[in-house]
């Protein structure tokens, strides 16, 4: 094909691979393509889209001719789209000199992109635009072709070793030039300061462009990263985030929400409606999206940590540093920090309170630990001791203070609203506590807070943004003046640039957050006690089961109590894991915030999490009144969070309880009438038999009465007068209506028929066997709960 023909089919080819922007055309569906299920298609796709594969060769071939392709602005992230429509130029240099008016008869604004940008735009945005198909839920995102390609592109264009590989060129000795600047087709005003390209700045200081071939290709690394960050993270604007932190705006939003329920919507609610509408953007990240962002964060840490040590001579640095080394130095603070912080803030505040938050949590923890991706290896030792965080990371912690402190408070608020008895929720608390308990980390965070809280010098109002721009001092890489290198000012600049000048900082090691940690420790203790009670109950239930229980009612079936829990379906191993996670999390929290044993003991006694005298789980906190037990606020909190509960039982006449799913409704009614007729006919005789003190009286009392009903009822907050009810001795045949009983009898008759025993003889054997069983049980009736038969 000629270049002109390739130029014509290139947009169609890209759309056929990655799908259309509106999601209608699925394309190759790289997110669901896995080597385990489709090995042939998987390998072909990876080979074709590899950085050295046919597709990228086509991109570079078209790049050499400086072709341009239109990308609709309407599919860009919300803040960028809104900014361009308002004719305000975004800060990111990726959009500079690319916005163009539509041609005659066209609709909407477009970006004029070169082939490399166009290809990467489609590749990155396909993670967002392509809807999940039913098969996606059964696919592991980390094994998909899309995930592997992201990893491959990051390793190729952001290498941790060596330099960026030059693209293949059709001209011997030639090179693909970097994109040439284009004059703006639309008059735009710019907010903030312009971030000039790393390539342009570097070439300006180079005596010859050809002296360093890597300078011609650094634009691919910068463009790739900008596209990934813009498409995956820039869905929430910093200005709107800071605006929503204002108490006045929060009050407006609350006023709007209250006005929704009223019949009259007046003009006062209009401004709050606009604020709420602007804040609640339609974009909602998926778990797969977060996993890809985590891959990006991990690679950027490894890329940044591969920076060569700076030379001792400052003058040597300015002449010998390659553009790739300069890029490594600023890649995280300049390109990622702000957008990732806003992205995490939104996830922490809006992600559902379920186990899927683990993906967000691990992405956050990956960003907090750049030392995990450093090239040096920890010394090998016989005992695996916690690795201390080196002082060399103090600057990173201080310049990312809000990532550690404010997001930690956000996680505390989430953890206080989750069920910590769940193993997955307990694991998340354990993971966060373990990371923050690394030796020397809490001390460095505390040092960063102290630097922020130092008395401020004279800082002109709203001048903090100037210090975050590369124009100060002539170049982003120029040596900063001595006043800016002050550590305290760097921390303040970081905090105010993200949260605004009016931000009221909440200290991580202050009294308010410490109280939240104590509340979390209290919930952990209560969750441990609940898990232990569930485990003990499950063990008792298993131990009490016997072969005979399959042929008769268990007490829970007769009184209608529910003693199950979600953990019963998980098993004893998971309950044990939960207890281990919570125990270690509590230990780590004590290390981080210097909690002592006396505080924990006092807290546990105050909340009443210790077991009662019988070793069983206590009832919810109540007070006794004339009408029975009344829940206290603490008791209501315990029930809502599943920490304690009442034994829910049917406390009326067991003969009149609702028909169960395991019972035959017709038989229940017929047997009830028969039992009622027998009880009415022989009531006096049964009273006389049960009043006898000999063995016959004990046998009748065991089978015809239920004297322990009062003991059952006392576990419920019912009125006291209910405990005085007594229905006297009676016959109950309802157990014969149970499907389990009927199936058991059929099995016995069927087995008996093998031995040539007829129905009459089998019935006689069953009655004799039960009579012997009843006699034996009567002798030991003092240690058993009575049954009705």
């Amino acid at each position: 094909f000629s270049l002109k023909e390739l130029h014509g089919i290139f947009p169609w080819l890209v759309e056929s691979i990655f799908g259309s922007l509106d999601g209608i055309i699925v394309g190759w569906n790289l997110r669901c393509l896995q080597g385990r299920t489709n090995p042939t298609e998987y390998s072909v796709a990876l080979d074709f889209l590899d950085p050295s594969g046919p597709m990228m060769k086509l991109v570079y071939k078209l790049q050499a001719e400086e072709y341009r392709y239109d990308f609709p602005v309407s599919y860009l992230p919300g803040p960028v789209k809104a900014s361009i429509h308002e004719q305000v130029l975004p800060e990111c240099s990726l959009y500079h000199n690319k916005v163009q008016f539509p041609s005659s008869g066209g609709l909407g604004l477009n970006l004029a992109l070169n082939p490399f940008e166009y290809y990467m735009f489609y590749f990155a945005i396909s993670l967002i635009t392509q809807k999940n198909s039913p098969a996606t839920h059964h696919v592991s995102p980390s094994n998909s072709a899309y995930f592997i390609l992201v990893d491959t592109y990051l390793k190729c264009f952001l290498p941790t070793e060596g330099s960026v590989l030059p693209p293949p060129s059709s001209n011997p000795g030639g090179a693909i030039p970097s994109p040439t600047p284009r004059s703006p087709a639309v008059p735009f005003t710019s907010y903030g300061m312009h971030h000039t390209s790393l390539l342009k700045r570097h070439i300006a200081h180079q005596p010859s462009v050809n002296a360093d071939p890597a300078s011609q290709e650094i634009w691919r690394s910068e463009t790739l990263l900008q596209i990934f960050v813009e498409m995956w993270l820039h869905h929430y604007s910093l200005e709107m985030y800071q605006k929503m932190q204002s108490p006045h705006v929060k009050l407006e939003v609350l006023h709007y929400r209250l006005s929704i329920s009223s019949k009259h919507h007046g003009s006062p609610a209009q401004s709050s409606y606009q604020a709420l509408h602007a804040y609640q953007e339609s974009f909602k990240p998926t778990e797969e999206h977060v996993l890809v962002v985590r891959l990006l964060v991990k690679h950027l840490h490894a890329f940044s940590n591969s920076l060569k040590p700076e030379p001792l001579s400052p003058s040597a640095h300015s002449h010998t540093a390659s553009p790739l080394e300069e890029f490594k130095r600023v890649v995280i603070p300049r390109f990622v920090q702000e957008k990732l912080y806003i992205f995490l803030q939104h996830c922490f505040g809006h992600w559902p309170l379920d186990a899927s938050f683990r993906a967000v949590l691990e992405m956050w923890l990956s960003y907090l630990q750049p030392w995990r991706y450093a090239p040096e290896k920890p010394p090998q030792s016989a005992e695996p001791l916690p690795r201390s965080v080196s002082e060399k990371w103090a600057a990173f912690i201080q310049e990312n203070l809000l990532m550690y402190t404010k997001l930690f408070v956000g996680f505390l608020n989430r953890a206080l609203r989750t069920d910590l008895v769940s193993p997955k929720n307990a694991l998340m608390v354990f993971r966060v506590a373990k990371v923050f308990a690394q030796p020397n980390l809490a001390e460095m965070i505390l040092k960063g807070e102290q630097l922020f809280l130092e008395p401020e010098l004279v800082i002109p109002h709203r001048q903090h943004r100037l210090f975050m721009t590369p124009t100060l001092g002539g170049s982003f890489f120029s040596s900063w003046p001595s006043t800016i290198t002050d550590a305290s000012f760097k921390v303040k600049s970081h905090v105010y640039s993200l949260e605004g000048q009016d931000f009221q900082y909440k200290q991580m090691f202050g009294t308010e957050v410490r109280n939240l940690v104590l509340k979390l420790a209290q919930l952990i203790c209560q969750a441990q006690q609940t898990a232990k009670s569930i485990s003990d109950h499950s063990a008792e239930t298993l131990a009490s089961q016997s072969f005979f229980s399959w042929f008769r009612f268990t007490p829970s079936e007769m009184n209608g109590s529910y003693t199950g829990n979600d953990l019963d379906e998980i098993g004893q191993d998971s309950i044990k894991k939960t207890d281990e996670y919570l125990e270690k999390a509590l230990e780590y929290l004590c290390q981080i915030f210097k909690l002592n044993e006396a505080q924990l003991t006092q807290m546990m006694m105050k909340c009443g999490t210790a077991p009662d005298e019988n070793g069983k789980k206590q009832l919810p906190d109540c007070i006794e009144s004339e009408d029975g037990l009344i829940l206290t606020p603490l008791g209501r909190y315990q029930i809502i969070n599943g920490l304690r509960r009442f034994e829910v039982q049917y406390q009326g006449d067991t003969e009149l309880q609702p028909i169960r799913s395991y019972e035959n409704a017709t038989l229940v009614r017929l047997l009830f009438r028969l039992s009622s007729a027998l009880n009415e006919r022989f009531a006096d005789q049964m009273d006389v038999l049960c009043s006898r003190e000999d063995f016959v009286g004990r046998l009748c009392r065991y089978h015809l009465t239920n004297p322990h009903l009062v003991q059952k009822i006392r576990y419920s907050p019912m009125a006291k007068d209910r405990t005085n009810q007594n229905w006297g001795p009676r016959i109950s045949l309802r157990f014969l209506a149970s499907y389990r009983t009927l199936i058991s009898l059929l099995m016995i008759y069927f087995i008996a028929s093998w031995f040539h025993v007829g129905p009459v003889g089998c019935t006689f054997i069953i009655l004799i066997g039960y009579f012997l069983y009843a006699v034996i049980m009567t002798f030991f009736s003092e240690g058993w709960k009575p049954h009705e038969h």
Side-chain angles (χ1 to χ4, degrees), residues 92 229-230 233-234 236 334-344 498:
C92 180
V229 171
E230 288 293 308
L233 295 179
H234 196 189
Y236 316 102
R334 176 182 164 189
F335 291 96
V336 179
Q337 185 192 65
E338 174 190 300
K339 294 180 176 65
L340 181 62
Y341 175 74
I342 306 301
F343 182 84
L344 283 171
L498 292 178

Side-chain angles (χ1 to χ4, degrees), residues 539-554:
E540 291 175 2
T541 302
L542 291 174
S544 64
Q545 289 179 350
S546 64
F547 176 77
F548 288 102
S549 65
W550 221 90
F551 300 97
R552 60 180 174 85
F553 279 122
T554 59

Side-chain angles (χ1 to χ4, degrees), residues 515-536:
N515 290 335
L516 290 178
V517 173
L518 288 174
K519 287 183 180 180
L520 179 60
Q522 167 187 327
L523 287 181
I524 290 175
C525 295
Q526 292 174 338
Q528 283 181 296
Q529 185 63 35
T530 302
K532 183 178 183 301
S533 300
I534 295 172
S535 179
D536 294 342

Side-chain angles (χ1 to χ4, degrees), residues 389-404:
V389 180
S390 173
E391 286 292 336
K392 64 178 286 189
W393 301 107
F396 177 87
I397 294 172
Q398 293 167 10
E399 294 170 8
N400 292 272
L401 185 64
L402 291 175
M403 287 283 196
Y404 290 88

Side-chain angles (χ1 to χ4, degrees), residues 552 702-703 765-775 787 789:
R552 60 180 174 85
Y702 179 81
H703 292 87
I765 293 174
I766 292 175
L767 293 176
I768 293 297
Y770 180 76
F771 178 77
L772 295 175
Y773 167 77
V775 170
H787 300 266
H789 290 288

Side-chain angles (χ1 to χ4, degrees), residues 350-410:
H350 295 79
W351 201 277
L353 290 171
D354 57 21
S356 65
F357 185 72
R358 175 77 186 279
V360 178
L361 187 79
E362 293 298 338
M363 186 249 290
W364 171 51
L365 296 180
S366 294
Y367 184 84
L368 298 187
Q369 303 176 87
W371 47 87
R372 290 185 57 194
Y373 313 99
E376 65 268 11
K377 300 294 182 182
Q380 298 293 332
S381 60
E383 297 182 1
L385 299 175
R387 184 182 178 185
S388 178
V389 180
S390 173
E391 286 292 336
K392 64 178 286 189
W393 301 107
F396 177 87
I397 294 172
Q398 293 167 10
E399 294 170 8
N400 292 272
L401 185 64
L402 291 175
M403 287 283 196
Y404 290 88
T405 58
K406 189 173 182 184
L407 290 180
F408 179 81
V409 176

Side-chain angles (χ1 to χ4, degrees), residues 75-128:
Y75 289 102
L76 293 175
V80 178
K81 178 172 57 179
S83 174
I84 293 177
H85 281 303
E86 294 173 4
Q87 296 193 354
V88 177
L89 189 64
E91 291 183 356
C92 180
S93 61
L94 184 67
Y95 305 108
H96 292 182
N97 304 327
K98 291 186 174 68
V99 182
Q100 293 188 342
F101 279 125
S103 57
S104 58
L107 297 175
L109 297 172
N110 294 311
L111 295 180
L113 305 177
N114 64 52
F116 184 82
E117 293 169 337
Y118 187 80
Y119 174 84
M120 287 301 172
F121 259 84
Y122 262 86
F123 174 76
I125 207 170
S126 65
L127 178 66
I128 312 298

Side-chain angles (χ1 to χ4, degrees), residues 67-350:
Y67 284 117
R68 291 294 182 269
Y69 302 92
D70 290 339
F71 188 93
V73 171
S74 58
Y75 289 102
L76 293 175
V80 178
K81 178 172 57 179
S83 174
I84 293 177
H85 281 303
E86 294 173 4
Q87 296 193 354
V88 177
L89 189 64
E91 291 183 356
C92 180
S93 61
L94 184 67
Y95 305 108
H96 292 182
N97 304 327
K98 291 186 174 68
V99 182
Q100 293 188 342
F101 279 125
S103 57
S104 58
L107 297 175
L109 297 172
N110 294 311
L111 295 180
L113 305 177
N114 64 52
F116 184 82
E117 293 169 337
Y118 187 80
Y119 174 84
M120 287 301 172
F121 259 84
Y122 262 86
F123 174 76
I125 207 170
S126 65
L127 178 66
I128 312 298
T129 57
Q130 296 299 317
K131 305 296 187 246
N132 283 332
S133 62
T136 307
H137 302 291
H138 306 287
V139 172
S140 174
S142 58
N143 295 327
S144 67
Y146 187 88
F147 196 89
I148 301 300
L149 281 173
V150 171
D151 187 46
T152 303
Y153 289 154
L154 289 174
K155 290 177 179 177
C156 176
F157 299 108
L158 301 172
T160 56
E161 297 180 359
S163 59
V164 183
L165 294 177
S169 175
S170 57
N171 300 324
I176 302 300
S178 60
T180 56
R182 295 167 59 88
S183 58
V186 182
F188 277 87
T189 59
S190 175
Y191 63 83
M193 309 295 290
H194 283 236
H195 292 297
T196 56
S197 171
L198 285 168
L199 172 63
K200 296 175 184 177
R201 288 197 302 275
H202 184 79
I203 292 178
H205 297 285
Q206 290 285 336
S208 171
V209 174
N210 295 328
D212 186 2
S215 64
Q216 297 184 357
E217 301 308 324
I218 188 66
W219 67 268
R220 290 185 298 159
S221 303
E222 185 177 358
T223 299
L224 176 86
L225 179 60
Q226 285 182 324
I227 291 174
F228 283 1
V229 171
E230 288 293 308
M231 294 299 106
W232 296 342
L233 295 179
H234 196 189
H235 294 273
Y236 316 102
S237 66
L238 175 65
E239 288 71 18
M240 182 54 62
Y241 167 76
Q242 292 179 352
K243 181 180 180 182
M244 291 304 299
Q245 305 310 305
S246 168
H248 174 69
V249 176
K250 289 182 179 180
L251 186 61
E252 282 189 343
V253 172
L254 178 62
H255 178 230
Y256 167 73
R257 288 173 176 170
L258 293 176
S259 68
I260 291 294
S261 58
S262 63
K263 296 181 180 179
H264 304 286
H265 297 278
S267 58
Q270 185 64 27
S271 59
S272 60
Y273 170 78
Q274 294 174 352
L276 183 64
H277 179 73
Y279 178 65
Q280 291 184 336
E281 301 180 46
S282 59
F283 179 77
K284 296 179 181 178
T286 62
E287 189 173 351
E288 180 187 8
H289 179 183
V290 173
L291 291 175
V292 173
V293 173
R294 186 190 180 210
L295 175 65
L296 173 66
V297 168
K298 292 166 65 176
H299 185 83
L300 289 179
H301 274 319
F303 178 70
S304 180
N305 291 336
S306 65
L307 178 67
K308 297 177 182 178
E310 294 185 4
L312 298 177
S313 173
S315 59
H317 164 71
S318 60
H319 294 287
T320 60
S322 68
L324 189 63
E325 294 298 304
E326 293 180 349
F327 188 44
K328 292 178 181 179
R329 187 174 293 109
V330 299
V331 62
I332 290 180
R334 176 182 164 189
F335 291 96
V336 179
Q337 185 192 65
E338 174 190 300
K339 294 180 176 65
L340 181 62
Y341 175 74
I342 306 301
F343 182 84
L344 283 171
Q345 280 281 28
H346 186 89
C347 290
F348 272 61
H350 295 79

